[in-house]
């Protein structure tokens, strides 16, 4: 009789732990879902679409040796906004607020291609900031750079394939 009571107690403890774990995961998703939805919505805005277009089509023709100062005013604003967007997203991922898988699955290609185009500009801008004795000049867009590394480690195809409900074959 005591053994049966012990087994029932252990089963109840296991079920209670599993339910608590599931509830914790659901509450975490409930807290991050609005953040993720807003970030994805912002990425689709005309302004950030224009910024991505500028980075891909016009930035290569600019004099990047001057950093941001070598860009036309509108281009400078677009590059800053796009860089800050990915930097903020990178901070949320790095600090565990948002998981890298949905970011990589949905925005991974964009993160990588924008970083690849902006990296020379970022290097020059960091050097300019260091010469101006600004504090911690290498931190400029550092979360964006880290996000790019994380997305490369978890490519979009892999991130999507890890989800339980992905059925399309890897491309």
């Amino acid at each position: 009789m005591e053994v049966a009571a012990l087994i029932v107690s252990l089963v109840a403890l296991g079920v209670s732990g599993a339910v608590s774990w599931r509830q914790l995961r659901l509450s975490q998703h409930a807290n991050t879902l609005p953040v993720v939805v807003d970030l994805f919505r912002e990425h689709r805005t005309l302004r950030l679409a224009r910024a991505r277009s500028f980075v891909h089509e016009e930035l290569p023709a600019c004099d990047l040796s001057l950093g941001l100062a070598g860009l036309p005013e509108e281009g400078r604003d677009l590059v800053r906004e796009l860089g800050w967007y990915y930097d903020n997203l990178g901070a949320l991922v790095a600090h565990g607020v948002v998981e890298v898988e949905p970011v990589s699955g949905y925005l991974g290609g964009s993160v990588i291609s924008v970083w690849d185009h902006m990296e020379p500009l970022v290097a020059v801008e960091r050097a300019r900031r260091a010469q101006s004795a600004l504090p911690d000049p290498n931190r400029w867009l550092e979360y964006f750079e880290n996000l790019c590394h994380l997305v490369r480690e978890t490519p979009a195809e892999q991130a999507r394939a890890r989800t339980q409900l992905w059925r399309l074959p890897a491309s």
Side-chain angles (χ1 to χ4, degrees):
M1 187 66 164
E2 291 178 16
V3 174
L6 178 62
I7 292 173
V8 169
S9 295
L10 290 175
V11 169
L13 180 62
V15 169
S16 175
V19 169
S20 295
W21 176 254
R22 177 73 177 142
Q23 189 64 30
L24 176 64
R25 295 293 295 157
L26 288 173
S27 69
Q28 287 173 336
H29 286 297
N31 290 336
T32 60
L33 183 62
V35 173
V36 172
V37 169
D38 283 346
L39 286 168
F40 289 173
R41 181 181 302 125
E42 183 178 356
H43 192 264
R44 293 187 310 264
T45 63
L46 292 177
R47 182 74 175 167
L48 286 187
R50 170 69 182 111
R52 288 189 302 277
S53 175
F54 178 86
V55 165
H56 288 105
E57 297 169 12
E58 299 174 51
L59 185 63
C62 295
D63 183 3
L64 301 183
S65 68
L66 300 174
L68 289 170
L71 304 181
E73 185 176 349
E74 182 196 12
R76 188 170 41 246
D77 292 344
L78 291 169
V79 165
R80 276 192 189 118
E81 285 179 46
L82 189 59
W84 288 336
Y85 170 84
Y86 288 123
D87 204 47
N88 291 336
L89 183 58
L92 294 172
V93 170
H95 293 284
V97 176
V98 175
E99 294 178 13
V100 71
E101 285 83 4
V103 172
S104 181
Y106 188 67
L107 303 176
S110 181
V111 169
I112 292 170
S113 66
V114 169
W115 175 258
D116 288 348
H117 280 81
M118 285 182 58
E119 185 176 17
L121 174 75
V122 171
V124 169
E125 191 61 27
R126 287 175 178 171
R128 289 175 47 89
R129 289 164 185 251
Q131 291 171 351
S132 300
L134 290 173
D136 208 3
N138 289 327
R139 298 259 343 260
W140 191 68
L141 300 185
E142 191 173 47
Y143 280 111
F144 178 14
E145 181 178 9
N146 186 64
L147 178 64
C148 187
H149 286 285
L150 292 172
V151 167
R152 287 186 200 276
E153 290 173 3
T154 308
E157 298 80 21
Q158 184 182 50
R160 289 189 292 261
R162 285 183 186 174
T163 66
Q164 293 178 348
L165 297 176
W166 192 260
R167 300 294 185 265
L168 298 176
S171 48

